Amino acid sequence: MNTLNKEIAGWGRYPVQRCELVRPERHADLLSEAPSLLARGQGRSYGDAALNENRRVVLTERVNRFLAFDRDQGVIRAEAGVTLAELLTLTVPRGWFPLVTPGTKHVSLGGCVAADVHGKNHHHDGAFSRSVRELELITADGRRLCCSARENGEAFRATVGGMGLTGIIGEVELQLQPIESVYIRARHQGAANLEQVFALLQDTDNDARYSVAWLDLMSRGAGLGRGVVMNGDHAARDELSGGRRLTPLRLAPAKVRNIPFDMPGWLLNGLSIRAFNAQYFRREGGRSGSFLVDYDTFFYPLDTLDNWNRLYGKRGFVQYQCVVPTATALEAMQQLLQRLADSVHPAFLGVLKRMGAAGEGYLSFPMEGYTLAMDLPMKGVATLALLDAFDAIVLQHGGRVYLAKDARLAADSFRAMYPQLEAWRRVRRELDPQGVFGSSLSRRLGMGEEE
Ligand SMILES: Cc1cc2nc3c(=O)[nH]c(=O)nc-3n(C[C@H](O)[C@H](O)[C@H](O)COP(=O)(O)OP(=O)(O)OC[C@H]3O[C@@H](n4cnc5c(N)ncnc54)[C@H](O)[C@@H]3O)c2cc1C
């Protein structure tokens, strides 16, 4: 197979590393002979999870065939390179939607399993692995292992959330959820500060399936952590009128614009973001009552701007995402936002979500509590020092950082954040005794002891 030596990066474009790329056309060629291997889907993880510096990276994008679709039961089986965008195109017109979706549809099924991704409904439906009926894991010795919560359960628990380090996921079988329309009944509520945001997110009267808060990270003082809480549920057909009711499962294609080249780093600055946030807060927080939006607008607003990561310029950006247990989550988030405010480091996008109970994956990120994600332009040591300070707060509250977003966590912090690491290592040792599967992330964090 042809190999290509090329500099690549994750979605945050930090770090950039040279890897040896192969792009197999067939499922049978996914596993190639190399001392170190890593599968890569759509490269939508932010940091170095899908990088394997100076070593081999297997691009799965062409191994993307649909294998079976039971339209009555909503069960679909596909090769792991299939993206959620491709899946939606096939299943939505037939009335089926993924049980869990992240904030972009340009992710592969393999990437969703390996990071055990979560959506706006984690408090309701758990993480992606909850909808995985079965997966096929190609191990270092060429075996094809069928895994599920019941069959080869240990391999399953190590692979969901295992960041590609147990083998290559070849196929995924998913249980979808039925929908009657492509619309979401959404409701927005403005909240003047973080306490109010928390009160709205944990309101027991709010049993919305999907729930998330946008935070204005530029707001300070009494308005620290102000935001807009956005709730949503799938709309039934009889909630629609006119043309929508006639073709409830038809979605008009979204207009997608493109950022064609790297923007100068100064374009996104404190002033421009402050103005944008203030306007967004007024407009979205001031909406009254519920309204209908299509699922693209509700779940994937950022997908309407292709290559939006170029807005951050050549140096790229990092997304810091942590989760903290419920008991002290408000206090922890307040400390994080205050630390950010004190640092005068710019941070643009802020998202807060409630999470339900942890799932089965040994290294899966979710735990019962609250998760905060913040996008920060990469400004070298100032950024790295700030993120180290965030880690100290998160650790103090018994929380953890999300590996799919990470580019810089220290190995000892990682060990303290993931208490099931030893259980994961034991299974990984059985599946991959030579440590063939590795990544820049796994070496940085010392995930396998042999690294
Ligand atoms: C705009 C945006 C919004 C996002 N929103 C969310 C969100 O709401 N919730 C959330 O949880 N995440 C979110 N993410 C992160 C994203 O969902 C995950 O990083 C996901 O893993 C990306 O899938 P990918 O195909 O791009 O995987 P990659 O980035 O290519 O790889 C991610 C990991 O999966 C492994 N992997 C990929 N394919 C395979 C395979 N076939 N076999 C074995 N391992 C494999 C890789 O080795 C790597 O460790 C978001 C990302 C973006 C850019």
Side-chain angles (χ1 to χ4, degrees):
M1 208 180 318
N2 289 340
T3 61
L4 175 66
N5 260 295
K6 202 178 163 198
E7 287 196 331
I8 57 169
W11 187 247
R13 305 174 81 211
Y14 170 84
V16 178
Q17 295 179 352
R18 187 164 287 280
C19 300
E20 182 190 274
L21 307 181
V22 292
R23 187 185 277 122
E25 302 281 339
R26 299 180 313 150
H27 178 279
D29 300 328
L30 276 172
L31 191 69
S32 52
E33 286 258 325
S36 174
L37 272 186
L38 182 74
R40 175 176 168 110
Q42 291 290 311
R44 251 51 177 200
S45 50
Y46 280 68
D48 55 1
L51 301 180
N52 200 13
E53 191 169 25
N54 296 323
R55 297 167 177 84
R56 184 162 295 182
V57 169
V58 183
L59 306 176
T60 63
E61 60 204 21
R62 293 203 181 143
V63 183
N64 64 344
R65 291 159 194 86
F66 287 102
L67 303 169
F69 181 25
D70 180 337
R71 293 161 194 211
D72 298 324
Q73 301 300 319
V75 175
I76 191 157
R77 191 172 180 99
E79 291 176 341
V82 163
T83 64
L84 277 189
E86 291 162 343
L87 183 140
L88 288 161
T89 307
L90 176 71
T91 66
V92 166
R94 276 106 186 159
W96 294 100
F97 198 79
L99 189 66
V100 172
T101 175
T104 171
K105 58 183 174 179
H106 302 304
V107 285
S108 68
L109 298 184
C112 288
V113 171
D116 199 8
V117 299
H118 56 273
K120 296 174 172 156
N121 55 341
H122 189 271
H123 61 291
H124 209 280
D125 297 308
F128 197 80
S129 53
R130 183 88 73 84
S131 66
V132 176
R133 286 166 51 100
E134 187 177 281
L135 55 88
E136 178 207 61
L137 182 70
I138 306 170
T139 56
D141 59 6
R143 271 181 304 153
R144 292 176 179 199
L145 217 56
C146 258
C147 318
S148 68
R150 272 165 229 90
E151 191 184 357
N152 291 311
E154 285 288 75
F156 183 77
R157 285 185 278 281
T159 299
V160 301
M163 305 308 292
L165 301 167
T166 55
I168 299 185
I169 299 157
E171 296 176 7
V172 181
E173 187 173 291
L174 288 180
Q175 177 66 60
L176 308 170
Q177 59 168 320
I179 50 166
E180 290 185 23
S181 81
V182 295
Y183 298 99
I184 303 287
R185 186 181 350 97
R187 194 158 55 92
H188 289 182
Q189 288 165 283
N193 55 40
L194 194 64
E195 261 175 53
Q196 281 190 23
V197 170
F198 264 72
L200 289 172
L201 285 175
Q202 64 199 8
D203 183 355
T204 44
D205 289 343
N206 167 20
D207 61 350
R209 180 152 209 179
Y210 302 103
S211 189
V212 67
W214 166 85
L215 297 187
D216 176 1
L217 294 179
M218 303 304 283
S219 184
R220 301 283 183 263
L224 191 76
R226 76 171 179 175
V228 180
V229 174
M230 303 167 173
N231 294 315
D233 285 284
H234 290 282
R237 185 178 176 198
D238 61 15
E239 294 177 59
L240 312 178
S241 55
R244 286 176 169 180
R245 193 167 185 148
L246 288 176
T247 54
L249 291 168
R250 187 185 297 161
L251 179 70
K255 273 203 197 93
V256 178
R257 283 167 298 158
N258 184 27
I259 305 283
F261 46 78
D262 291 340
M263 290 291 162
W266 50 261
L267 190 78
L268 281 184
N269 60 51
L271 278 181
S272 61
I273 296 298
R274 188 163 305 180
F276 172 85
N277 283 4
Q279 197 216 12
Y280 188 83
F281 179 72
R282 269 197 306 278
R283 194 183 68 220
E284 297 301 322
R287 280 182 183 236
S288 61
S290 60
F291 54 97
L292 292 177
V293 282
D294 62 60
Y295 73 78
D296 260 348
T297 310
F298 186 78
F299 291 111
Y300 313 119
L302 292 168
D303 285 351
T304 55
L305 200 55
D306 252 356
N307 299 311
W308 63 261
N309 52 352
R310 289 181 176 159
L311 285 170
Y312 284 89
K314 275 207 163 61
R315 291 182 84 180
F317 71 109
V318 282
Q319 182 173 100
Y320 187 83
Q321 184 171 359
C322 62
V323 59
V324 171
T326 311
T328 59
L330 173 58
E331 196 186 328
M333 299 306 174
Q334 254 157 350
Q335 288 171 1
L336 287 168
L337 293 187
Q338 192 56 55
R339 185 72 188 74
L340 175 69
D342 295 343
S343 75
V344 299
H345 193 295
F348 301 138
L349 189 67
V351 175
L352 184 71
K353 292 189 249 209
R354 205 172 111 209
M355 286 196 140
E360 296 199 52
Y362 288 128
L363 295 185
S364 288
F365 167 69
M367 63 161 83
E368 183 137 20
Y370 287 81
T371 174
L372 173 65
M374 300 181 270
D375 285 358
L376 297 97
M378 185 59 196
K379 294 191 176 292
V381 285
T383 311
L384 297 172
L386 177 62
L387 300 184
D388 286 347
F390 287 172
D391 291 343
I393 297 172
V394 170
L395 274 167
Q396 190 198 328
H397 290 271
R400 61 172 70 120
V401 162
Y402 190 11
L403 300 182
K405 308 288 178 76
D406 181 50
R408 33 61 53 194
L409 185 66
D412 54 346
S413 301
F414 162 69
R415 279 193 299 275
M417 289 174 178
Y418 284 84
Q420 298 203 76
L421 178 61
E422 276 315 317
W424 178 81
R425 280 179 170 159
R426 182 176 42 75
V427 184
R428 182 179 126 101
R429 252 193 322 267
E430 280 166 22
L431 292 170
D432 181 15
Q434 313 295 330
V436 169
F437 292 100
S439 64
S440 298
L441 173 107
S442 75
R443 285 184 292 278
R444 175 167 57 78
L445 298 179
M447 291 174 76
E449 317 90 307
E450 70 280 1
E451 290 163 327

